[in-house]
């Protein structure tokens, strides 16, 4: 559907960490060899969503899948995304939200594991964040988490297999810690949801703003 709406001339993927860029380049190279993608249209580069190095009105579409939660100044990131989107351009995001009945102990455990305070990331928070700039809300969809449909023991077994095939070395205690973390996430599953938000940059307001600048 996105391919029909946005004929692709170029796709740019960004991350603030060089290690993630290297991983993405490796995956893109393999996908190009397998004939899955046209690598001439895709590039990845180091960039900070809080200060995007692109001119105003550059992109038709910006997509964030779970990454907005990990940005320190989310309001600034949304402001930058608004700036680089063309008038009428779309922002699509996916993030987890906390329900109001989430136990305080689980909030503390999850926050410690992922290094983020999840206590304020409610559904209302995400909606307000997206409308902190003059975006029009095109759609909001909520759903249940799907991370832990597979039993934890099976997931750990699969991870062992993948790491073995990729010749990665790992410590047994690392997998034990990971398993304990998965158990916490599984307990938390009924207290969180996933929200997909689609917003559109208003054309008239953005053109007036550009004219004023």
């Amino acid at each position: 559907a996105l391919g029909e709406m946005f004929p692709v001339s170029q796709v740019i993927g960004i991350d603030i960490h060089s290690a993630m860029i290297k991983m993405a380049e490796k995956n893109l190279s393999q996908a190009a060899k397998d004939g899955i993608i046209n690598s001439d249209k895709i590039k990845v580069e180091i960039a900070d969503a809080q200060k995007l190095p692109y001119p105003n009105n550059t992109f038709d579409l910006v997509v964030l899948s779970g990454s907005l939660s990990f940005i320190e100044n989310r309001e600034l990131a949304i402001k930058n995304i608004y700036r680089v989107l063309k008038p009428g351009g779309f922002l699509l995001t996916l993030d987890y939200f906390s329900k109001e009945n989430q136990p305080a102990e689980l909030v503390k455990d999850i926050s410690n594991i992922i290094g983020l305070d999840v206590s304020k990331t409610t559904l209302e928070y995400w909606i307000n964040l997206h409308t902190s700039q003059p975006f029009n809300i095109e759609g909001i969809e909520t759903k249940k988490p799907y991370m832990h449909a597979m039993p934890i023991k099976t997931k750990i077994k699969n991870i062992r297999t993948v790491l073995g095939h990729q010749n990665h070395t790992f410590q047994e205690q690392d997998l034990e810690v990971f398993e304990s973390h998965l158990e916490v996430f599984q307990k938390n599953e009924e207290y969180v949801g996933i929200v997909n938000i689609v917003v559109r940059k208003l054309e008239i307001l953005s053109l007036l703003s550009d004219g004023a600048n």
Side-chain angles (χ1 to χ4, degrees), residues 54-174:
Y54 309 109
N56 295 353
N57 308 322
T58 297
F59 299 103
D60 297 296
L61 172 67
V62 174
V63 178
L64 293 91
S65 182
S67 55
L68 191 54
S69 296
F70 295 92
I71 296 174
E72 183 177 359
N73 190 333
R74 298 170 191 147
E75 290 79 8
L76 184 56
I78 291 292
K79 184 176 182 179
N80 263 266
I81 292 168
Y82 180 85
R83 178 183 63 78
V84 301
L85 274 172
K86 294 178 181 178
F90 289 88
L91 166 63
L92 283 68
T93 66
L94 178 151
D95 282 286
Y96 282 85
F97 67 90
S98 300
K99 298 179 181 178
E100 293 182 357
N101 63 340
Q102 190 177 26
E105 191 63 31
L106 272 177
V107 170
K108 180 181 176 181
D109 290 343
I110 294 294
S111 297
N112 288 338
I113 290 172
I114 66 176
L116 291 170
D117 180 8
V118 300
S119 63
K120 73 172 185 176
T121 52
T122 62
L123 180 58
E124 182 181 15
Y125 168 82
W126 289 121
I127 295 172
N128 289 340
L129 177 66
H130 285 70
T131 54
S132 62
Q133 294 296 310
F135 281 118
N136 185 64
I137 296 178
E138 300 288 320
I140 298 173
E141 178 187 26
T142 61
K143 59 184 74 172
K144 294 181 179 180
Y146 46 79
M147 281 183 59
H148 308 299
M150 183 187 299
I152 291 176
K153 294 293 184 184
T154 303
K155 185 169 290 188
I156 293 295
K157 181 180 178 181
N158 291 345
I159 290 172
R160 290 179 188 275
T161 302
V162 171
L163 290 175
H165 287 164
Q166 295 180 354
N167 296 318
H168 287 298
T169 58
F170 58 90
Q171 301 295 323
E172 192 64 30
Q173 58 265 33
D174 292 336

Side-chain angles (χ1 to χ4, degrees), residues 106 109-110 112-115 147-148 152 156 173-188:
L106 272 177
D109 290 343
I110 294 294
N112 288 338
I113 290 172
I114 66 176
M147 281 183 59
H148 308 299
I152 291 176
I156 293 295
Q173 58 265 33
D174 292 336
L175 286 180
E176 291 175 359
V177 171
F178 183 58
E179 183 174 352
S180 70
H181 288 176
L182 286 179
E183 290 172 353
V184 174
F185 284 120
Q186 192 171 58
K187 290 178 183 177
N188 190 54

